Amino acid sequence: MLLETIEQANDIKKIRKEDLNALAQEIREFLIRTISVTGGHLGSNLGAVELTMALHLALNLPEDKIIWDVGHQSYTHKILTGRKNGFECLRQFHGISGFPKRKESDCDVFDTGHSSTSISAGLGLVKARDIMGGKHTVVSVIGDGSLTGGMAYEALNNAAKQETNFIIILNDNNMSISENVGGVSKYLNNIRTASGYLDLKKGIYNALQGTKRGNSTISRIRRAKSSFKQLVIPGMLFEDMGITYLGPVDGHNISSMVSVINDAKRVEGPVMIHVITQKGKGYRPAERHPARFHGTEPFDIQTGIPSCPRTAANYTDIFSTVMCKLGQRDEKIVAITAAMPDGTGLKRFHNMYPNRFFDVGIAEEHAVTFAAGLAAGGMKPIVAVYSSFLQRAYDQILHDVCIQNLPVVFAIDRAGLVGSDGETHQGIFDYTYLTGIPNMHVCAPKNKWELSDMMKFAVELGCPIAVRYPRGTAYPGLKDYRQSIELGKAEWIYREQEIALLAVGSMVKVGEAVREALKEKGFGVSLVNARFVKPIDEAAVADACGTHKLLVTMEENVACGGYGEKVLDYMNQSGYRNPLLTIALPDAYVEHGNVELLKQEIGIDAGSIVKRICEVFNRI
């Protein structure tokens, strides 16, 4: 097998040209076979196989640099840099990451995981190269979806001033190739990137620059070029910014890709290569259902059906149902997502109320300010977003929503540990970054029924509020405990003495298990569903201090700025001296792995918490 000969970077250059397509097929078969077992991002990687091969053929790694936007399409890159054998542990604890990681390989030049960042990072690497006198090539690969993010255009605006080579590859998997436009653009690319043309162009401009009529002549030449290019080149936006545009290019034609990359390396300045690819290419189920195979669980190769299909509703399903009911009851309800209608559960709302649904693309900052505008206009906007993506819009939450105290509801999915996607996706900071903002309110449901109740409460609150819920199956327990939601009020589930467990959101389920284990050891244990992280229920804390020897706060958030710190602050200010044990995540980034395994490793699983409580209580 050709794939077996790839053991390290640049080994692909030993493969005969006539065997490259066969290697691409082997890579696809390997990806399908491996990801069907481990899960991962399949569609994007199948679409980028030839593009990645062409980059590795045209560049010398690790001297040359490739920055992958988001990075979920970098699996082939990892294979071609000697990490194929690590794929059996892909996205598993202590295994290789599903995203570029500098600590994994010197061929991974920049850690990525969020969208629209590669051009900014690439430009930084280019400037560092130029300052240090380097000659290597820097390539930023960005998808058409990532190009909907405003940060990409900020970077393009800055890159347009660049006077040395910087290659940007636009991986467009949402457009077909037009043969007539493609043929003309190929002809123009060959002329415009030929050595003779580039030298002549530079010589003419240098000779004319500064002469009596030179500047006006240059201006007329550029206008004439622009008029013709407007007819035949689809990349005029980039050309007008000062970025040389090459393409469209068939992203599954390796030789064409290698040729255009080599042409681009000769351009003195920023150059964009527009590449057309097909998401999921080579695997029929992924070609037909690209969204389903964007990030997939293990599946049956023959059918594409998940190996372990879900039988119980998850929190996203519950949110989806609640949104449809809210939309039916109130015509002022509108929903906003940043390119995640499926992931956030808004697809059904979109189908039912298309005029009240807005997908703004990968633009979380815009989504939040857009929601603020909707609220100022009298609507009741609900922004559905993953926890780790909402942090990208911190300034908009503070400046555009909370200063004006506008009634925007943030439905925060994937909060807490999310598992296999690792550091860039763990939603473990939202209590911290949200509760420091005046006028913001933050709550978290203990089970699926409480999520429904909290959403109904949130849309009627009339001020900014975040409802935070985890990834995974919606907890069905504690069904009989469903007290009405009141702002800043906790819920006593079990009331005894000695130890009071004050748990938030997903940790209420863990609190139940901790309580049962402590009861078996003879302790009297109360369990409080905190519900609100801001404002906290000070009366409930005071009650617990007056009737218990030890208080224990439990949250799936970093300790710094979290619920435990707020309880401690209140106790100190009020003069309570009860011992307080704070169960939270460490001040660290949490790597990828199974969520339950990560909880054990961090020490927020039931067994670890029981052990810590016993150690503290025995010292009292």
Side-chain angles (χ1 to χ4, degrees):
M1 290 180 63
L2 296 167
L3 194 52
E4 297 301 321
T5 66
I6 306 295
E7 297 179 348
Q8 60 185 356
N10 302 312
D11 277 353
I12 188 175
K13 296 178 181 180
K14 301 174 184 177
I15 305 295
R16 297 183 305 172
K17 288 184 178 180
E18 55 267 33
D19 291 332
L20 289 173
N21 288 330
L23 175 61
Q25 180 62 25
E26 287 187 21
I27 291 173
R28 281 197 170 86
E29 291 173 356
F30 174 80
L31 289 172
I32 295 167
R33 184 171 64 253
T34 302
I35 297 172
S36 72
V37 176
T38 63
H41 291 93
L42 182 61
S44 55
N45 282 289
L46 292 177
V49 171
E50 289 88 357
L51 167 58
T52 308
M53 291 173 62
L55 281 167
H56 280 251
L57 287 165
L59 304 177
N60 291 305
L61 272 64
E63 290 82 7
D64 294 328
K65 314 297 180 186
I66 305 172
I67 305 96
W68 302 92
D69 207 278
V70 182
H72 59 292
Q73 78 281 48
S74 64
Y75 290 9
T76 299
H77 167 75
K78 294 196 175 204
I79 292 170
L80 297 179
T81 50
R83 286 171 273 177
K84 180 176 76 71
N85 292 337
F87 270 72
E88 61 186 21
C89 296
L90 176 68
R91 307 197 316 152
Q92 297 176 23
F93 191 52
H94 291 329
I96 67 171
S97 170
F99 297 91
K101 284 287 180 286
R102 297 172 70 197
K103 63 184 180 183
E104 271 187 21
S105 169
D106 55 3
C107 294
D108 291 0
V109 67
F110 199 83
D111 290 6
T112 51
H114 286 186
S115 170
S116 313
T117 63
S118 66
I119 302 176
S120 297
L123 183 58
L125 286 163
V126 166
K127 290 297 186 182
R129 175 198 67 192
D130 295 346
I131 291 170
M132 298 178 70
K135 300 297 182 182
H136 55 272
T137 299
V138 177
V139 180
S140 291
V141 182
I142 187 167
D144 55 313
S146 293
L147 209 58
T148 63
M151 183 176 174
Y153 292 93
E154 295 174 20
L156 285 170
N157 180 61
N158 197 206
K161 304 174 184 177
Q162 177 65 23
E163 296 180 351
T164 59
N165 185 255
F166 175 31
I167 300 175
I168 302 163
I169 293 183
L170 171 57
N171 179 17
D172 183 351
N173 53 33
N174 198 35
M175 290 179 62
S176 60
I177 299 175
S178 174
E179 290 185 6
N180 55 339
V181 172
V184 173
S185 64
K186 180 179 179 181
Y187 169 73
L188 291 174
N189 292 344
N190 290 338
I191 294 177
R192 292 165 61 219
T193 58
S195 299
Y197 170 78
L198 292 173
D199 291 343
L200 177 62
K201 172 185 169 183
K202 184 177 179 180
I204 291 174
Y205 281 11
N206 287 343
L208 291 172
Q209 194 76 43
T211 62
K212 187 173 182 179
R213 296 188 177 182
N215 292 335
S216 62
T217 302
I218 290 174
S219 179
R220 287 197 298 273
I221 290 173
R222 283 175 172 161
R223 283 198 299 271
K225 283 174 58 185
S226 178
S227 298
F228 177 63
K229 287 189 293 186
Q230 286 279 8
L231 298 175
V232 296
I233 297 180
M236 280 306 299
L237 166 65
F238 308 112
E239 289 273 352
D240 286 343
M241 292 177 71
I243 300 171
T244 300
Y245 173 90
L246 307 178
V249 182
D250 181 356
H252 300 298
N253 186 316
I254 298 172
S255 61
S256 294
M257 279 296 309
V258 171
S259 177
V260 76
I261 293 170
N262 283 328
D263 288 343
K265 288 161 65 176
R266 294 200 297 269
V267 175
E268 292 185 7
V271 54
M272 175 172 284
I273 304 173
H274 185 180
V275 179
I276 306 297
T277 61
Q278 181 183 8
K279 204 167 188 177
K281 183 174 176 60
Y283 182 52
R284 186 63 175 166
E287 290 177 351
R288 296 178 62 183
H289 306 286
R292 187 198 304 171
F293 286 90
H294 171 73
T296 180
E297 298 299 319
F299 60 92
D300 177 76
I301 294 177
Q302 296 301 318
T303 64
I305 296 174
S307 303
C308 300
R310 285 193 293 114
T311 57
N314 61 27
Y315 279 100
T316 305
D317 297 330
I318 303 300
F319 170 74
S320 177
T321 300
V322 173
M323 280 297 298
C324 292
K325 291 180 179 178
L326 289 172
Q328 184 179 24
R329 295 173 186 170
D330 191 340
E331 293 185 353
K332 291 185 177 181
I333 297 289
V334 292
I336 303 110
T337 182
M340 299 292 288
D342 291 294
T344 59
L346 286 178
K347 189 173 183 179
R348 288 171 58 198
F349 186 93
H350 172 219
N351 293 337
M352 293 178 67
Y353 312 107
N355 293 332
R356 289 188 276 150
F357 168 83
F358 306 98
D359 184 347
V360 301
I362 305 177
E364 290 83 4
E365 301 95 326
H366 165 57
V368 172
T369 302
F370 175 55
L374 283 164
M379 304 305 289
K380 297 179 180 179
I382 298 173
V383 180
V385 62
Y386 289 3
S387 173
S388 68
F389 297 159
L390 182 60
Q391 65 200 28
R392 310 183 76 186
Y394 181 84
D395 179 65
Q396 287 72 24
I397 298 169
L398 188 156
H399 185 275
D400 298 328
V401 174
C402 290
I403 285 180
Q404 303 180 83
N405 203 28
L406 291 169
V408 176
V409 177
F410 296 94
I412 306 179
D413 201 337
R414 306 303 200 271
L417 297 170
V418 298
S420 301
D421 285 335
E423 297 98 324
T424 54
H425 286 64
Q426 310 284 15
I428 59 177
F429 304 103
D430 48 63
Y431 288 164
T432 304
Y433 70 73
L434 288 174
T435 56
I437 303 176
N439 291 336
M440 175 59 78
H441 304 82
V442 182
C443 58
K446 68 178 183 293
N447 57 21
K448 63 180 186 179
W449 291 283
E450 197 160 80
L451 172 57
S452 176
D453 294 342
M454 281 186 174
M455 285 301 303
K456 295 170 186 175
F457 169 82
V459 296
E460 298 302 328
L461 183 62
C463 54
I465 184 170
V467 181
R468 186 227 208 215
Y469 46 96
R471 181 180 188 177
T473 302
Y475 183 46
L478 298 171
K479 182 177 181 180
D480 296 332
Y481 296 88
R482 197 173 180 177
Q483 299 174 20
S484 60
I485 308 292
E486 296 181 49
L487 181 62
K489 295 300 180 183
E491 175 189 46
W492 286 83
I493 297 175
Y494 303 109
R495 185 187 285 270
E496 296 183 1
Q497 293 183 345
E498 291 192 309
I499 300 171
L501 305 176
L502 288 76
V504 189
S506 61
M507 294 302 288
V508 173
K509 177 183 176 182
V510 180
E512 268 202 297
V514 170
R515 179 179 181 273
E516 290 176 6
L518 290 172
K519 291 279 291 178
E520 291 178 1
K521 295 178 180 294
F523 293 104
V525 186
S526 296
L527 177 60
V528 180
N529 170 24
R531 282 186 167 172
F532 285 86
V533 178
K534 185 183 181 184
I536 67 168
D537 189 340
E538 296 178 349
V541 176
D543 189 346
C545 288
T547 54
H548 296 76
K549 297 179 182 179
L550 173 66
L551 275 65
V552 182
T553 60
M554 302 169 60
E555 61 189 304
E556 202 170 331
N557 189 84
V558 293
C560 183
Y563 175 69
E565 278 199 359
K566 290 170 176 54
V567 171
L568 179 60
D569 286 345
Y570 168 73
M571 290 173 62
N572 288 337
Q573 292 170 15
S574 302
Y576 293 108
R577 295 294 176 258
N578 305 62
L580 173 67
L581 175 60
T582 300
I583 303 296
L585 300 174
D587 181 20
Y589 298 105
V590 180
E591 68 170 287
H592 54 275
N594 175 271
V595 170
E596 296 307 315
L597 181 59
L598 292 176
K599 287 182 177 180
Q600 293 175 22
E601 190 75 12
I602 294 168
I604 64 168
D605 64 302
S608 300
I609 295 171
V610 169
K611 183 179 178 181
R612 289 185 62 188
I613 290 174
C614 290
E615 290 173 351
V616 173
F617 194 87
N618 290 335
R619 292 199 299 266
I620 297 175

